Amino acid sequence: MICIPLVTGFAGTFFKTDPFLPISVLLPEQELSILDNEWRFFSAIWLSVGACFLWMLPHVEKHAQFFQLLLSLIAAGGVGRAISWVLRGTPPTDLIIFTLIELIVCPLLIL
């Protein structure tokens, strides 16, 4: 589970040159620039969350409250995805899987 934010956060921050390919042809350069900026910002935060999990791993019991806080933040992100799902329609399969992990696995790990 720790690998997910580390790998996807790193890739999104440094290597994804056009993660918006389906919509990039429809957006003016200014809007695409804003979208890319936000993508990399949140990817870097996601990478940082993974680094926090990695730092806690050797003594996770010692950092239980911080561990639960990070999992709560991820679960809150899942709520945001679920709202988007309801308002904007069904997302791609990979985002459905991420949403389910955020809304089911994270709360279970908190408990």
Side-chain angles (χ1 to χ4, degrees):
M1 177 140 166
I2 292 172
C3 293
I4 294 172
L6 288 172
V7 172
T8 59
F10 188 82
T13 302
F14 297 106
F15 293 110
K16 290 247 183 180
T17 55
D18 196 356
F20 319 105
L21 193 55
I23 61 170
S24 63
V25 295
L26 303 173
L27 292 175
E29 188 61 35
Q30 177 72 24
E31 282 80 5
L32 188 58
S33 172
I34 293 168
L35 190 58
D36 182 76
N37 186 286
E38 288 295 309
W39 173 269
R40 292 179 193 278
F41 173 80
F42 286 110
S43 291
I45 289 175
W46 189 230
L47 174 61
S48 300
V49 167
C52 288
F53 280 129
L54 187 62
W55 171 76
M56 286 185 289
L57 191 59
H59 304 286
V60 72
E61 68 283 348
K62 180 178 158 186
H63 305 289
Q65 287 181 320
F66 187 48
F67 183 75
Q68 291 171 331
L69 174 65
L70 286 178
L71 288 171
S72 298
L73 295 173
I74 294 169
V79 171
R81 286 188 199 266
I83 291 169
S84 175
W85 190 344
V86 169
L87 296 177
R88 299 290 181 186
T90 305
T93 304
D94 56 344
L95 295 181
I96 292 172
I97 293 168
F98 290 149
T99 303
L100 295 175
I101 290 171
E102 293 157 356
L103 293 177
I104 297 169
V105 176
C106 288
L108 287 175
L109 288 173
I110 291 169
L111 296 174

